[in-house]
Each structure stands twice: as structure tokens, then as C-alpha cells.
């Protein structure tokens, strides 16, 4: 008497599962991945303010001497009063340049205004939607030649961010495939 083990593979089952997952993605997109990536980018943008760097890691243009002199007298009081969540956070002000005056962090309003503006299954936008801060933020993101304000980009996407995005997408695709069984 022979002993055998029969293994069969029905591609319709596997392709049906894949088809259900793909249809779900086409209709709904990847809302979890987009939301996660949006939160990641908001946090990364906050790090750029702390480190005073562009998205590609270059240092922001230093403050003009006139700006440094103007802010030196009033900054120490603001630093003592800087609060987030009711607690003083020393790293809130981490001046990088030699003057000791932090760039784009005089009131922290712009830094704390960066948020997820729109998140769907197909896209995520981070930015500033507060009208009071938007004009000021644009002048620093892109520069303003008429007022001699250099560009100090804080919104952007680098290679590390691309890798993070891919990770969020792959994770959601795996979750969708597992759920489509």
C-alpha cells in the first residue's frame, strides 16, 4: 500500500484574494498609510525647526545682525515663558547659530501650526492653514526678495522620508492582503 500526500493549488483562490485587496485599494486608497505618513512628516518638520535645517539637511541662512540685535533683548523673557502642554521644554529653543538666537522660533507659532491639512486614502498634505501665519510661513519657505528674506525651507521631502512612506504603504498593503483572506 502506498502513502501519498496530495497538494493542490487553485490560482482562482489566490487571485480572488489579490483582486479583492486591489479593488479595495483602488476604491479606498491607503488611508492608514497616508495618515501615518502625515503624522510622521509633521514630526519631521518639527525636527527641522529644532535643527534649523532644510529638508535636505542644509543649514538655514543665518539671521542678519540687525535681527539678532533686535531680538536679543526680548528673547530671554520669551524663552523662560515658552510652554507647550503646560510644561517648559528646553529643547523648544535650541539655537544652532553662533548668535544663540534661534531662527524662525521667536514665538513658535509657525512651528506649532504645521499640521495635516488634508488626508484621504489617496493623498496627504501637510502645511499651515492658519491665515495669520500662512503669509509669514510662505515668505520663509520660499524667501521674499523684496524684503531681503532668504528662503529657509522647512516643508519638504527627502530620501529618508521616501523610505518611510514606502514602509507605511507596504505595511498597509500587508494588512489589506491579510484581511482579504
Amino acid at each position: 500500500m502506498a502513502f501519498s500526500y496530495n497538494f493542490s493549488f487553485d490560482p482562482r483562490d489566490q487571485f480572488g484574494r489579490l483582486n479583492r485587496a486591489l479593488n479595495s485599494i483602488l476604491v479606498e486608497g491607503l488611508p492608514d498609510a497616508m495618515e501615518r505618513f502625515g503624522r510622521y512628516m509633521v514630526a519631521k518638520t518639527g525636527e527641522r525647526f529644532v535643527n534649523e535645517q532644510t529638508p535636505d539637511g542644509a543649514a538655514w541662512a543665518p539671521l542678519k545682525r540687525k535681527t539678532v540685535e533686535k531680538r536679543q533683548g526680548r528673547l530671554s523673557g520669551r524663552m523662560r515663558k515658552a510652554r507647550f502642554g503646560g510644561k517648559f521644554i528646553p529643547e523648544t529653543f535650541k539655537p544652532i547659530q553662533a548668535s544663540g538666537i534661534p531662527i524662525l522660533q521667536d514665538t513658535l507659532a509657525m512651528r506649532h501650526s504645521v499640521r495635516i491639512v488634508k488626508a484621504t486614502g489617496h493623498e496627504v498634505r501637510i502645511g499651515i492653514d492658519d491665515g495669520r501665519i500662512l503669509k509669514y510661513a510662505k515668505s520663509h519657505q520660499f524667501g521674499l526678495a523684496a524684503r531681503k528674506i532668504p528662503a529657509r525651507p522647512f516643508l519638504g521631502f527627502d530620501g529618508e522620508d521616501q523610505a518611510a512612506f514606502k514602509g507605511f504603504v507596504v505595511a498597509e498593503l500587508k494588512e489589506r492582503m491579510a484581511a482579504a483572506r
Side-chain angles (χ1 to χ4, degrees):
M1 181 187 241
F3 177 77
S4 66
Y5 179 79
N6 185 22
F7 176 77
S8 64
F9 172 75
D10 186 352
R12 291 175 296 187
D13 290 340
Q14 297 302 315
F15 290 124
R17 186 174 126 208
L18 179 61
N19 194 31
R20 284 190 301 277
L22 289 175
N23 282 334
S24 165
I25 291 166
L26 288 172
V27 173
E28 300 169 20
L30 299 169
D32 292 342
M34 294 298 167
E35 180 70 28
R36 288 177 192 145
F37 184 65
R39 288 193 310 264
Y40 165 87
M41 287 303 298
V42 168
K44 278 291 290 252
T45 302
E47 289 175 20
R48 291 185 187 125
F49 277 95
V50 170
N51 297 324
E52 299 179 356
Q53 293 178 332
T54 65
D56 64 5
W60 285 341
L63 295 173
K64 295 179 206 146
R65 186 175 51 90
K66 181 180 173 183
T67 304
V68 171
E69 290 170 358
K70 183 173 109 179
R71 289 176 61 201
Q72 275 179 330
R74 62 188 169 115
L75 187 63
S76 60
R78 285 213 175 133
M79 287 177 72
R80 283 193 301 271
K81 294 176 186 174
R83 297 194 175 275
F84 185 73
K87 298 178 184 173
F88 177 72
I89 302 176
E91 66 272 10
T92 298
F93 289 100
K94 182 183 174 188
I96 302 298
Q97 61 176 317
S99 70
I101 305 293
I103 302 173
L104 301 185
Q105 299 179 70
D106 190 27
T107 66
L108 299 178
M110 185 164 50
R111 177 174 151 193
H112 290 174
S113 295
V114 175
R115 62 181 44 96
I116 297 173
V117 175
K118 179 180 181 182
T120 69
H122 301 282
E123 72 175 307
V124 63
R125 283 188 212 160
I126 67 155
I128 295 173
D129 60 355
D130 183 333
R132 297 171 297 135
I133 298 166
L134 187 59
K135 184 177 177 182
Y136 177 71
K138 281 182 181 180
S139 69
H140 286 288
Q141 176 74 18
F142 303 109
L144 191 59
R147 297 200 47 214
K148 297 180 183 174
I149 297 173
R152 293 183 178 106
F154 50 90
L155 294 173
F157 201 70
D158 66 12
E160 186 179 308
D161 302 332
Q162 290 175 349
F165 178 72
K166 288 177 186 175
F168 292 127
V169 168
V170 167
E172 186 164 352
L173 289 174
K174 286 179 179 178
E175 291 169 13
R176 291 286 186 93
M177 287 300 292
R181 288 183 179 193

